[in-house]
């Protein structure tokens, strides 16, 4: 790929985007592996789409393609929707290209073909369906006596269900552990471990798997069939990783194994300053993908103005970066809510009042005003885990049935119901169903 500045600017204009600043020009024109340090609100998905549009202009290889790896289906759909806007861009949605989540990539290219080759059924790859099936198999009378003896000392039935439901293959050796029991299962040679391993194998033979089982299967496949890695890297000449800071340890290993710098152009977009460490059993203790490639900054943001950008820049501790606020962006108050357990039901109403005070009505009447938090129950409940999810802020939110981690504050309710602080928002909130 070799585009002049004029060609890049012309394409950006055709896409309806603003004229690129020097940082964006450098990223769009880069044809080597790199790491884009993207500040908050920097428009990296828009920039990634523009990069893909440039590639589509010159792509002629019918056998090698572009691979875009994201962490969520929301991000995947956003990229696909933008590419679907023109015939030339839509080419990247077809073979030999791939745009999807890490999970879909691992399933499609490595894990599921491996299972089919071994004549194993694939009934469901889903954590909750696995957990239900595992519990039904576990409570069968007369089986797994050692495991039952060990588990009865681990807690009540709810806790035992969590441990059983979390049974997974942990690595390429198909070692069994539980995602919901960080302390670890008994020693591999123990009768208890044997029972739990047999339960896991039994479910695998029936075709029931957890999502993370697919990563273990992928690592095993690549260790047994090394030529597969060669075939995959020959398939994809360019690889893009979205939200680099959210990659797990096993995802890091797979990227490095499948796409070495000598064979592929790998460009990673993410924000090292938004990395969350040690809050998940598979978190990357040190962000192993960061710092492996030349870094290109993306510092300007449309999310906030110069005042907040100046404040936020002081907190870029992991990767020092001077954020550049949008020059015409409105100046908002910097707000942090401090609250006690007893006052937690006032957080969302207070936020709604802040929106009323700070955001012009013509804006919030047209845009969604949402409260965003975790929607799922924590896997291993600890005494100090509070707040856990949206349900702690709003009693009407059910994490077992919710399909989104956002609750929407309709504009009509902002107008009519939230002029003053209310102790409960209940009826003024509704769950948002993603499109």
């Amino acid at each position: 790929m070799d585009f002049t500045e004029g060609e890049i600017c012309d394409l950006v204009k055709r896409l309806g985007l603003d004229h690129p600043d020097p940082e964006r020009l450098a990223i769009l024109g880069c044809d080597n592996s790199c790491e884009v340090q993207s500040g908050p609100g920097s428009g990296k998905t828009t920039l990634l789409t523009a990069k893909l549009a440039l590639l589509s202009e010159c792509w002629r290889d019918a056998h090698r393609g572009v691979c875009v790896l994201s962490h969520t289906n929301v991000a995947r759909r956003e990229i696909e929707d933008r590419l679907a806007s023109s015939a030339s861009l839509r080419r990247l949605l077809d073979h030999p290209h791939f745009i999807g989540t890490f999970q879909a990539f691992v399933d499609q290219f490595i894990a599921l073909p491996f299972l089919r080759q071994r004549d194993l059924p694939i009934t469901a790859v889903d954590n909750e369906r696995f957990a239900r099936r595992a519990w039904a198999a576990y409570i069968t009378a007369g089986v797994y006596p050692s495991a039952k003896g060990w588990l009865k000392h681990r807690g009540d039935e709810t806790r035992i269900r969590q441990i059983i439901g979390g049974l997974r293959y942990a690595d390429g050796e198909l070692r069994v552990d539980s995602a919901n029991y960080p302390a670890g299962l008994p020693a591999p040679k123990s009768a208890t471990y044997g029972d739990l391993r047999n339960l896991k194998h039994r479910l695998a033979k029936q075709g029931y798997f957890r999502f993370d089982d697919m990563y273990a299967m992928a690592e095993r496949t690549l260790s047994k069939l090394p030529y597969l890695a060669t075939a995959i890297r020959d398939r994809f000449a360019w690889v893009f990783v979205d939200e680099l800071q959210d990659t797990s340890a096993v995802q890091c290993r797979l990227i490095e194994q499948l796409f070495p710098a000598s064979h592929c152009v790998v460009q990673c977009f993410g924000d090292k300053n938004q990395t969350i460490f040690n809050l998940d059993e598979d978190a990357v203790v040190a962000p192993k993908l960061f710092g492996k490639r030349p870094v290109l900054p993306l510092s300007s943001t449309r999310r906030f103005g110069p005042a907040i950008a100046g404040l936020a820049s002081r907190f870029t501790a992991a990767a020092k970066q001077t954020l550049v606020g949008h020059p015409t962006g409105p100046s908002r108050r910097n707000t942090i809510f401090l609250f006690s357990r007893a006052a937690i039901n006032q957080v969302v109403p207070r936020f709604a009042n802040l929106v009323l005070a700070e955001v012009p009505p013509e804006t919030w009447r047209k845009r969604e005003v949402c409260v965003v938090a975790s929607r799922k129950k924590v896997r291993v409940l600890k005494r100090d885990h509070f707040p856990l999810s949206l349900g702690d802020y709003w009693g009407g939110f059910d994490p077992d049935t919710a399909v989104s981690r956002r609750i929407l504050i309709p504009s009509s309710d902002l107008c009519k119901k939230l002029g003053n602080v209310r102790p409960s928002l209940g009826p003024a909130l509704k769950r948002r169903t993603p499109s």
Side-chain angles (χ1 to χ4, degrees):
M1 186 182 77
D2 186 13
F3 289 95
T4 66
E5 180 177 328
E7 290 171 327
I8 293 174
C9 293
D10 178 65
L11 181 135
V12 167
K13 184 177 180 180
R14 282 189 278 127
L15 292 174
L17 305 176
D18 292 339
H19 185 83
D21 58 26
E23 287 185 347
R24 285 170 171 76
L25 277 173
I27 295 166
L28 290 171
C30 179
D31 57 3
N32 297 309
S33 294
C34 68
E35 174 187 313
V36 179
Q37 170 57 35
S38 314
S42 57
K44 63 177 177 57
T45 302
T46 299
L47 190 65
L48 175 55
T49 305
K51 185 90 178 187
L52 293 171
L54 282 170
L55 286 173
S56 72
E57 293 275 309
C58 63
W59 204 269
R60 300 293 180 266
D61 197 325
H63 303 289
R64 301 196 76 194
V66 176
C67 178
V68 181
L69 298 173
S70 65
H71 289 278
T72 66
N73 283 313
V74 173
R76 172 189 59 80
R77 284 194 295 267
E78 182 178 355
I79 294 171
E80 288 180 341
D81 289 346
R82 295 186 184 190
L83 291 178
S85 62
S86 74
S88 61
L89 295 180
R90 280 197 295 271
R91 290 182 299 179
L92 294 181
L93 299 177
D94 298 325
H95 181 88
H97 310 290
F98 175 85
I99 298 174
T101 62
F102 273 94
Q103 186 74 50
F105 177 86
V106 167
D107 290 354
Q108 178 177 333
F109 291 100
I110 312 175
L112 296 185
F114 175 77
L115 293 173
R116 293 189 184 103
Q117 187 183 53
R118 278 150 180 75
D119 294 325
L120 284 172
I122 303 165
T123 309
V125 180
D126 179 86
N127 289 358
E128 293 187 5
R129 289 187 65 182
F130 172 85
R132 290 195 297 269
R133 192 73 177 188
W135 181 251
Y138 172 77
I139 61 176
T140 302
V143 294
Y144 316 119
S146 296
K148 290 175 179 176
W150 179 77
L151 282 166
K152 72 179 181 181
H153 298 294
R154 309 277 83 79
D156 59 13
E157 180 179 309
T158 298
R159 185 72 187 99
I160 296 172
R161 277 179 175 266
Q162 290 177 333
I163 297 172
I164 291 297
L167 289 177
R168 64 176 182 177
Y169 293 121
D171 52 33
E173 297 300 318
L174 301 188
R175 178 177 54 86
V176 175
D177 71 6
S178 175
N180 300 332
Y181 192 67
L185 301 182
K189 294 184 179 180
S190 67
T192 296
Y193 180 89
D195 277 355
L196 296 173
R197 181 190 58 211
N198 290 339
L199 172 59
K200 180 65 180 175
H201 289 349
R202 174 183 173 184
L203 293 163
K205 290 177 181 178
Q206 295 173 358
Y208 290 93
F209 298 94
R210 288 174 51 87
F211 292 121
D212 36 8
D213 289 334
M214 297 299 102
Y215 287 97
M217 292 297 176
E219 292 196 291
R220 185 167 184 82
T221 304
L222 294 173
S223 67
K224 298 292 185 181
L225 308 172
Y227 62 83
L228 182 58
T230 302
I232 291 174
R233 72 175 61 106
D234 286 345
R235 162 79 176 269
F236 298 109
W238 282 68
V239 179
F240 294 94
V241 179
D242 192 21
E243 301 293 0
L244 181 64
Q245 74 277 1
D246 293 334
T247 53
S248 67
V250 65
Q251 289 167 347
C252 287
R253 292 195 298 270
L254 288 172
I255 290 172
E256 293 303 308
Q257 183 175 2
L258 292 173
F259 306 119
S262 58
H263 287 75
C264 312
V265 176
V266 179
Q267 297 194 350
C268 304
F269 291 69
D271 186 359
K272 191 175 182 179
N273 294 303
Q274 294 187 50
T275 304
I276 300 176
F277 304 115
N278 297 326
L279 299 184
D280 184 85
E281 80 286 340
D282 195 32
V284 181
V285 178
K288 298 176 182 178
L289 279 183
F290 284 107
K292 287 184 172 289
R293 299 165 182 88
V295 177
L296 299 177
L298 185 58
S299 305
S300 59
T301 176
R302 292 182 173 274
R303 186 171 296 170
F304 38 73
I308 293 181
L311 177 65
S313 296
R314 293 156 53 187
F315 293 95
T316 57
K320 295 300 295 180
Q321 188 171 19
T322 300
L323 303 175
V324 179
H326 195 273
T328 60
S331 179
R332 306 289 187 209
R333 286 186 296 167
N334 305 320
T335 306
I336 298 175
F337 291 103
L338 302 178
F339 58 93
S340 65
R341 284 177 181 254
I344 191 171
N345 63 350
Q346 296 186 37
V347 172
V348 178
R350 294 270 186 174
F351 171 68
N353 283 344
L354 179 68
V355 173
L356 287 172
E358 293 287 327
V359 181
E362 59 270 19
T363 298
W364 55 254
R365 284 195 179 104
K366 295 178 182 178
R367 306 292 294 273
E368 291 181 346
V369 179
C370 295
V371 178
V372 182
S374 171
R375 71 178 175 88
K376 295 184 178 180
K377 294 179 180 177
V378 71
R379 287 173 296 190
V380 182
L381 184 63
K382 295 182 180 178
R383 182 177 182 181
D384 295 329
H385 276 170
F386 184 88
L388 293 176
S389 68
L390 282 173
D392 288 320
Y393 295 93
W394 177 46
F397 187 85
D398 183 358
D400 290 326
T401 60
V403 294
S404 174
R405 64 187 184 97
R406 303 200 292 175
I407 44 180
L408 178 67
I409 307 176
S411 59
S412 60
D413 292 315
L414 277 171
C415 292
K416 298 174 184 177
K417 300 183 180 181
L418 299 177
N420 299 307
V421 175
R422 293 177 178 270
S424 176
L425 199 56
L429 291 176
K430 67 181 181 181
R431 187 174 304 129
R432 177 179 185 272
T433 302
S435 58

